[in-house]
Amino acid sequence: MLVDGRDTGALTSYTFETTIAATAQDGSGVSATCKVTVREMEDSEEQKQPDASKKHDQQMIQKKGRVLTDASTKAIYKVVKQGKVDGNSVKGAEIEFVKPIGKAVSVEVRDKVRIKGVEYKIISIAPNAFKSSKKLVSLKMGKNIRIIGSNACNGCKKLKNVIIGKNVTTINSKAFKGIYTKAVVKVPGKKLRSYKSLLRARGISKKAKIKK
């Protein structure tokens, strides 16, 4: 049914009879029987539709393994956890830093990045992310990085300055093999001793300075 040009939904009809009696001024009685129809309105098509904002948020979710490019951070990423719709946003989404776009000299892998309306935590650096880069001099990792992939910086001979985030738990094989011999690597103070031995095992030169 249309009211003021708007669909108000389907109607369900109920019909019943009733008798109405009345007395005229001269004392004569008058009675009549009439039918009354009552209509009950069902939910309109508009009311039946799911919340448009939730549907939009659902469409923004990228599947695990999807590769995304972000011009603002000049990097390519891969979705490792797609997240879920929570209210009017997507929460819990996580992403991996795959590689920079172009030949970067200085790279900061941020804590988070927003791509196509979804905010992702950057939790890892992919294997071979910077391998054999001839330009990379400086690399800073955000606090959400937990994993540094194998060969991530292997062969980056000009890489002189590295800052490792406080939540890194795994550094895979040859991650820093072949970087600048006297590189300076800054690590979390509470993990200095353990990081020293781990980084040496992952290829950093004995001449490199590892400090908190």
Side-chain angles (χ1 to χ4, degrees), residues 108-111 122 140-145 163-168:
E108 178 181 358
V109 181
R110 301 180 182 179
D111 299 337
I122 307 175
K140 181 179 179 181
M141 303 177 200
K143 66 182 180 181
N144 291 323
I145 295 293
I163 297 177
I164 296 178
K166 65 180 182 179
N167 290 312
V168 172

Side-chain angles (χ1 to χ4, degrees), residues 1-183:
M1 181 177 179
L2 294 177
V3 176
D4 295 331
R6 182 171 60 86
D7 182 10
T8 59
L11 299 177
T12 301
S13 299
Y14 301 92
T15 303
F16 62 90
E17 293 185 355
T18 186
T19 299
I20 300 174
T23 302
Q25 289 183 351
D26 61 3
S28 61
V30 179
S31 65
T33 300
C34 64
K35 291 184 178 181
V36 179
T37 300
V38 178
R39 293 184 175 182
E40 182 180 84
M41 186 176 72
E42 296 180 351
D43 289 342
S44 68
E45 289 301 316
E46 181 179 342
Q47 291 172 317
K48 292 178 181 178
Q49 292 296 324
D51 189 323
S53 63
K54 289 184 178 179
K55 183 177 180 181
H56 176 67
D57 290 334
Q58 192 70 39
Q59 290 173 340
M60 291 193 301
I61 293 178
Q62 303 296 327
K63 292 183 178 180
K64 182 178 179 180
R66 180 73 180 272
V67 175
L68 304 173
T69 299
D70 181 54
S72 66
T73 55
K74 298 180 180 180
I76 296 173
Y77 301 90
K78 183 172 70 175
V79 178
V80 296
K81 185 178 180 181
Q82 63 187 34
K84 295 181 180 179
V85 175
D86 184 358
N88 294 322
S89 63
V90 177
K91 294 185 178 180
E94 297 177 343
I95 210 165
E96 178 177 72
F97 181 97
V98 175
K99 64 179 181 179
I101 297 173
K103 298 178 180 179
V105 174
S106 179
V107 174
E108 178 181 358
V109 181
R110 301 180 182 179
D111 299 337
K112 300 176 182 179
V113 62
R114 181 173 289 276
I115 304 175
K116 296 182 179 180
V118 177
E119 185 176 75
Y120 296 89
K121 281 185 178 182
I122 307 175
I123 64 159
S124 60
I125 295 177
N128 306 309
F130 303 99
K131 187 178 180 180
S132 301
S133 171
K134 296 179 180 180
K135 297 288 185 179
L136 187 65
V137 173
S138 175
L139 174 60
K140 181 179 179 181
M141 303 177 200
K143 66 182 180 181
N144 291 323
I145 295 293
R146 301 196 295 267
I147 303 170
I148 301 174
S150 58
N151 295 300
C153 298
N154 190 346
C156 297
K157 295 180 180 180
K158 292 185 178 181
L159 182 55
K160 297 180 179 181
N161 297 287
V162 179
I163 297 177
I164 296 178
K166 65 180 182 179
N167 290 312
V168 172
T169 57
T170 304
I171 302 176
N172 286 306
S173 63
K174 301 179 182 179
F176 294 100
K177 184 179 179 179
I179 70 171
Y180 184 67
T181 304
K182 296 182 180 181

